[in-house]
Amino acid sequence: DSGVTQTPKHLITATGQRVTLRCSPRSGDLSVYWYQQSLDQGLQFLIQYYNGEERAKGNILERFSAQQFPDLHSELNLSSLELGDSALYFCASSVESRGREAFFGQGTRLTVV
Amino acid sequence: AQKITQTQPGMFVQEKEAVTLDCTYDTSDPSYGLFWYKQPSSGEMIFLIYQGSYDQQNATEGRYSLNFQKARKSANLVISASQLGDSAMYFCAMRGGFDIPNTGNQFYFGTGTSLTVIP
């Protein structure tokens, strides 16, 4: 158990819909990262938050947004979903922005039908 | 730009034998970290081992060791005494920007190597 909790584990939704993925980092970790893993794109970095502030942004679509709350949990919002958004979405956390280790949650498998 | 290259899409190894998974990287950061993660069929990403760019010795964690050759920019994972449970995807990853305050430091991942351990 990595200590990073992601909910839900599985999500099936229709095109055009909006979903929210939730991540609770390990206790004491201030930094949260979101990644998308699809078969054709591999692991793609989406966004990083550190202690509530956006720290880095990767290949995140405008239809996607994220935030980190005062209790340090994070949510990734995906809207106007398309079939191509079907993927495994990972959250990772680390103790500091430049910490050596990052532990991943078990992921949320999103299927858009 | 930072880049990780894993050139072995798939590897096979006999149970109890050792296997090396290749990883090369490219970065201009003077300070960076290299990581290996294991992803079994269940999908979770399991941290295996870490090597810092300034570490003098190669990292080891149980049956895992990292063969770090800085001049060649390679960070190969060696798994000794392979077990059936080692069958999984293995990802090499890198983080940089350690010396730049208040900047992001996301992981850059390779495309992975699928390891199959044969009984």
Side-chain angles (χ1 to χ4, degrees):
Chain A
D1 184 4
S2 68
V4 180
T5 304
Q6 287 188 250
T7 57
K9 286 189 170 51
H10 300 276
L11 196 52
I12 302 175
T13 190
T15 54
Q17 294 298 305
R18 172 190 168 93
V19 297
T20 298
L21 313 184
R22 181 187 170 101
C23 170
S24 294
R26 290 189 315 157
S27 178
D29 285 1
L30 299 179
S31 207
V32 169
Y33 309 77
W34 285 98
Y35 282 84
Q36 178 193 57
Q37 185 180 30
S38 57
L39 286 175
D40 57 344
Q41 294 288 331
L43 275 151
Q44 297 288 316
F45 169 69
L46 296 178
I47 198 163
Q48 176 194 1
Y49 280 85
Y50 176 72
N51 202 20
E53 294 185 359
E54 181 183 305
R55 185 55 64 87
K57 187 176 278 191
N59 300 319
I60 187 166
L61 300 172
E62 285 190 10
R63 301 183 285 109
F64 296 0
S65 65
Q67 54 184 326
Q68 186 178 28
F69 293 86
D71 67 352
L72 300 177
H73 91 271
S74 179
E75 293 181 356
L76 179 67
N77 300 298
L78 315 176
S79 62
S80 303
L81 284 167
E82 303 175 358
L83 296 178
D85 298 327
S86 296
L88 190 53
Y89 290 84
F90 283 106
C91 166
S93 74
S94 68
V95 95
E96 58 181 278
S97 184
R98 293 178 286 138
R100 50 167 275 180
E101 292 170 339
F103 291 88
F104 283 74
Q106 291 196 318
T108 293
R109 188 169 296 279
L110 173 66
T111 303
V112 182
V113 298
Chain B
Q2 309 203 37
K3 187 178 179 181
I4 293 281
T5 302
Q6 294 180 255
T7 57
Q8 305 156 314
M11 290 280 287
F12 292 86
V13 64
Q14 205 75 35
E15 193 179 6
K16 300 180 184 176
E17 296 292 315
V19 64
T20 298
L21 307 184
D22 294 342
C23 172
T24 58
Y25 62 92
D26 191 19
T27 182
S28 56
D29 284 339
S31 179
Y32 52 90
L34 296 155
F35 304 74
W36 279 91
Y37 286 88
K38 171 184 178 182
Q39 187 177 38
S41 58
S42 57
E44 61 195 299
M45 293 287 282
I46 302 169
F47 168 76
L48 295 179
I49 196 166
Y50 166 85
Q51 178 84 44
S53 58
Y54 290 119
D55 292 344
Q56 294 298 315
Q57 294 189 327
N58 285 345
T60 60
E61 293 283 351
R63 295 186 298 111
Y64 304 107
S65 60
L66 201 152
N67 184 2
F68 180 47
Q69 297 187 45
K70 193 172 183 177
R72 298 179 62 181
K73 294 189 175 180
S74 74
N76 298 339
L77 177 70
V78 181
I79 305 174
S80 62
S82 297
Q83 302 172 356
L84 295 178
D86 294 334
S87 294
M89 282 290 289
Y90 289 81
F91 290 94
C92 180
M94 177 175 62
R95 295 170 83 184
F98 287 171
D99 296 328
I100 306 169
N102 300 320
T103 60
N105 61 340
Q106 68 266 30
F107 283 79
Y108 294 87
F109 283 88
T111 51
T113 296
S114 176
L115 177 66
T116 302
V117 180
I118 304 167

